[in-house]
Amino acid sequence: MKRWILALALFSVVGFCDVRLPSIFSDNLVLQQKSGNPIWGWADPGERVEVKTSWGENQIARAESDGSWMVIVNTPEAETGHKVTISGENKIVLKNVALGEVWICAGQSNMGWSVANSFEAEGEADVDLPDLRIFRSAREHWHEPLQENRDRLAEWKPCNPDSAAETSAVAYYFGKTLQNKLGVPVGIIQRAYAGTPIEGWMPWNIQSDDPRARAHKKELDDSANRLISRGQTKEKAINAFEQELADYNARIDKGETMKNAFRFLSPPIITKPANLGHQYPGNIFNAMIAPIAPYAIRGIIWYQGERNAKNSPQAEHYRNQLKQMIGYYRNLWHGKSWGSVSDGFPVYFTQLPSWNPPQTKPVEGVESPWVVSRESMLKVSKELYNTGMAVSIDTGDAIALHPKNKKPIGIRHAYLALGKTYGFPIVHQGPVFSDFKIEGKEIRLNFSSKGSGLTGSREEPLDSFAVAGKDREWHWANAMIEGGSIVLSSSKVNKPVAVRYAWAMNPSERNLLYNKEGFPASPFRTDDWPLYDPKSELVEVTKPTKPKGYQPKDWIRPAIKN
């Protein structure tokens, strides 16, 4: 009976006899300029579907036996005010269509952290950017790939104070900076889900040979089996979900939009058993990525990794998983778009910010897995074509896992895109360590991406470097900037052999290294010494206790000068 109710509810929503589109095709959408753009949907099997655009494209498809159809619509240079008409037995007209640059902004909670909850919220209270458009749908996960999302309120929204406030702050400042610098419409597709590991963002079949992914899956399967043995079965969970979904659809059909005074209605989600939950391998991909592929995009920015940096071995392994995910997404989009989307599109990711008490030791150890995660991302940025990393160690918070200083991260992602993707002749990242030379009692470090010179975050000697001799004992180093190099020494190390920089969970209060254009350097090391003993007991990152009445505060950092 419940399944019949669900089927009836879905029938009333989508109207299977009519040509229909997924929600990502709505008024105000942005299509990727100067590109092939897949447009797809459903109709009666064999139905003729025609797609016409106001710029002169005319494409025809026939629905397959399962009702699906897709065409590729080519776009000219950036413009606004267009329309797209889809005709079959019925007609759909998409209005106020823009042609511009489209980016996906994906990740876990810090990617989803809204402008309204950020330090910068007041400065955006009067924003009016009609050519910055945002598509944001409710969080969903599922145990099988979805063809479309269940969120019936999701639609493209031009940027105004209301839509900006609910948008990811990182995505917003990324998109706003791009739109301002490029002078063309920019579309942001936000796909964020709190508390999700990278295993959830990839199909299970591509990671089933990964021992860490298998261990993660087994842990959740064991948890699920314990619940199932007590009668909390998958069938019961799905039946309850179907009833809640029918109730959700019924409220939407009545014209309701709000769950309460502050929250929009959203489709239900399943939390238990764990193999139906949001941390299970593949379940986020199935609902947050599968329904929007292959929408034509320029690239992706990614902010995730906290959930995969609970200990050092896990954080080190993230390097393999991030490369695997990027490669899979590129192949997926390229294949499903019939070659319209490049199989090497840019992917830029956020290096984890500072968290935990400020650094006091020259080098932290296994208790600080986030620095291992930062190294994993740094390696990916060097190993994988057309990738880049937004360094964020000068943002974050000693206590809060969700820091409010998101604006610098979004802007740095935009500069990566401006420099690497759009070819602007600008400095787009901080100093990148290239090599070193031992000069007696000193070590000289050389860098690329120096811009107009190296500098600290304040007018004081740099104090974020450590040196060690063959004994592998780390000591704070005296640091002198000499042209494009930094020369390090320590009275406690007569024969230095290795250097580490900002090697801690939270180095944000040290005098960090920047170039004069205002971009920080990533933590790095010159050694290849093991970061942990694989035979030792795992050491998990410690979550700080939040004092009563704690209020996060931002701090001054060098401004970007470009």
Side-chain angles (χ1 to χ4, degrees):
M1 179 65 177
K2 289 181 179 179
R3 294 186 184 276
W4 181 85
I5 292 173
L6 175 63
L8 181 61
L10 287 174
F11 184 87
S12 67
V13 172
V14 299
F16 284 118
C17 294
D18 290 336
V19 172
R20 61 185 184 87
L21 304 167
S23 59
I24 199 166
F25 296 104
S26 74
D27 292 347
N28 304 309
L29 86 165
V30 183
L31 294 175
Q32 179 61 43
Q33 67 166 327
K34 296 183 286 187
S35 172
N37 284 256
I39 295 178
W40 69 91
W42 299 270
D44 283 339
E47 186 173 349
R48 181 182 184 274
V49 179
E50 184 176 25
V51 179
K52 287 185 176 181
T53 74
S54 56
W55 60 90
E57 281 282 296
N58 186 5
Q59 300 293 335
I60 295 173
R62 285 204 178 271
E64 302 290 340
S65 59
D66 63 354
S68 64
W69 58 267
M70 188 174 91
V71 299
I72 303 295
V73 170
N74 294 304
T75 52
E77 292 184 350
E79 286 184 302
T80 58
H82 282 292
K83 69 179 181 179
V84 177
T85 303
I86 301 95
S87 303
E89 295 298 321
N90 58 307
K91 180 182 291 187
I92 301 170
V93 180
L94 303 177
K95 297 178 288 293
N96 194 29
V97 173
L99 313 180
E101 295 297 300
V102 182
W103 289 78
I104 292 175
C105 300
Q108 58 181 106
S109 53
N110 275 310
M111 176 57 90
W113 195 259
S114 70
V115 170
N117 289 317
S118 302
F119 286 132
E120 303 83 9
E122 291 184 6
E124 309 304 326
D126 298 319
V127 66
D128 182 20
L129 294 171
D131 290 341
L132 174 59
R133 317 274 180 91
I134 302 122
F135 180 83
R136 173 181 173 272
S137 64
R139 295 181 298 180
E140 291 187 62
H141 64 268
W142 200 241
H143 51 285
E144 296 172 343
L146 294 179
Q147 291 187 323
E148 59 185 324
N149 287 115
R150 302 180 177 96
D151 182 1
R152 293 172 56 194
L153 299 179
E155 60 182 354
W156 283 92
K157 296 180 180 180
C159 183
N160 57 39
D162 290 336
S163 59
E166 67 183 17
T167 299
S168 152
V170 170
Y172 171 77
Y173 287 105
F174 169 75
K176 181 181 180 181
T177 305
L178 279 190
Q179 206 274 316
N180 178 55
K181 296 287 186 180
L182 297 174
V184 303
V186 171
I188 295 299
I189 301 172
Q190 179 179 326
R191 312 302 278 177
Y193 200 128
T196 50
I198 196 170
E199 291 89 345
W201 290 87
M202 293 183 278
W204 171 244
N205 66 297
I206 76 160
Q207 56 183 321
S208 59
D209 292 336
D210 183 333
R212 294 201 67 88
R214 289 203 305 269
H216 174 72
K217 180 176 180 293
K218 183 179 184 303
E219 180 182 355
L220 295 176
D221 282 333
D222 290 345
S223 172
N225 289 335
R226 287 192 293 270
L227 276 181
I228 291 169
S229 69
R230 296 197 293 267
Q232 298 185 43
T233 65
K234 292 174 64 174
E235 290 74 19
K236 286 183 178 180
I238 291 172
N239 286 339
F241 170 88
E242 289 176 347
Q243 183 59 62
E244 291 179 39
L245 181 62
D247 293 342
Y248 163 80
N249 284 323
R251 294 185 66 179
I252 297 294
D253 288 341
K254 293 178 182 178
E256 298 180 33
T257 59
M258 303 301 293
K259 181 177 182 179
N260 52 43
F262 307 101
R263 291 192 176 187
F264 285 98
L265 285 170
S266 60
I269 58 175
I270 296 176
T271 57
K272 296 178 182 179
N275 51 9
L276 294 180
H278 68 294
Q279 294 190 13
Y280 198 73
N283 284 5
I284 298 299
F285 171 85
N286 290 338
M288 299 298 286
I289 298 298
I292 63 168
Y295 195 95
I297 57 172
R298 173 67 70 186
I300 293 177
I301 69 170
W302 174 254
Y303 188 171
Q304 187 275 337
E306 299 93 334
R307 185 61 182 77
N308 288 87
K310 296 176 72 174
N311 57 65
S312 291
Q314 183 189 44
E316 185 180 62
H317 187 69
Y318 188 77
R319 170 188 178 187
N320 302 326
Q321 294 173 299
L322 182 57
K323 289 199 294 186
Q324 183 181 44
M325 187 195 76
I326 291 171
Y328 177 76
Y329 281 15
R330 285 172 166 173
N331 289 334
L332 173 72
W333 250 268
H334 184 68
K336 290 195 69 175
S337 70
W338 302 343
S340 297
V341 177
S342 168
D343 58 0
F345 62 71
V347 179
Y348 303 125
F349 36 88
T350 307
Q351 194 180 53
L352 295 186
S354 284
W355 186 48
N356 267 227
Q359 179 182 10
T360 56
K361 297 192 300 183
V363 164
E364 294 178 0
V366 292
E367 75 280 7
S368 301
W370 280 32
V371 74
V372 183
S373 172
R374 294 178 193 132
E375 181 179 65
S376 289
M377 294 189 191
L378 177 63
K379 288 180 176 179
V380 173
S381 72
K382 294 179 177 181
E383 294 166 347
L384 211 56
Y385 165 77
N386 210 8
T387 61
M389 181 181 67
V391 176
S392 62
I393 55 170
D394 60 343
T395 70
D397 190 88
I399 303 297
L401 181 60
H402 301 107
K404 293 186 174 184
N405 42 20
K406 295 289 195 290
K407 184 175 182 178
I409 298 174
I411 292 175
R412 288 169 190 171
H413 272 294
Y415 272 89
L416 281 170
L418 290 168
K420 292 173 69 69
T421 300
Y422 297 107
F424 279 51
I426 57 174
V427 176
H428 56 265
Q429 62 184 349
V432 177
F433 167 71
S434 57
D435 58 70
F436 72 101
K437 183 179 180 181
I438 298 173
E439 300 175 342
K441 293 184 178 182
E442 299 176 334
I443 292 186
R444 182 179 297 272
L445 305 175
N446 297 311
F447 297 84
S448 60
S449 192
K450 296 184 291 289
S452 56
L454 303 177
T455 186
S457 57
R458 49 186 182 265
E459 294 296 327
E460 299 171 9
L462 297 171
D463 64 357
S464 43
F465 290 89
V467 296
K470 290 184 178 179
D471 60 2
R472 303 189 180 187
E473 293 293 327
W474 293 99
H475 301 276
W476 288 115
N478 298 314
M480 296 290 294
I481 297 174
E482 293 187 1
S485 301
I486 294 178
V487 179
L488 304 176
S489 64
S490 171
S491 60
K492 297 180 180 180
V493 183
N494 288 326
K495 296 182 179 180
V497 299
V499 174
R500 292 188 185 180
Y501 165 72
W503 205 261
M505 286 286 293
N506 180 2
S508 64
E509 295 189 14
R510 314 298 301 180
N511 189 16
L512 298 170
L513 174 64
Y514 288 74
N515 53 32
K516 290 183 179 179
E517 281 68 25
F519 294 93
S522 166
F524 67 88
R525 60 179 177 141
T526 65
D527 64 277
D528 59 359
W529 303 337
L531 296 175
Y532 59 89
D533 181 353
K535 297 181 180 179
S536 297
E537 184 177 349
L538 286 177
V539 177
E540 300 280 326
V541 66
T542 301
K543 183 177 181 180
T545 301
K546 183 182 290 187
K548 186 177 181 180
Y550 177 76
Q551 292 295 326
K553 295 180 180 179
D554 202 5
W555 54 86
I556 295 174
R557 61 185 63 80
I560 292 176
K561 301 172 183 177
N562 258 321

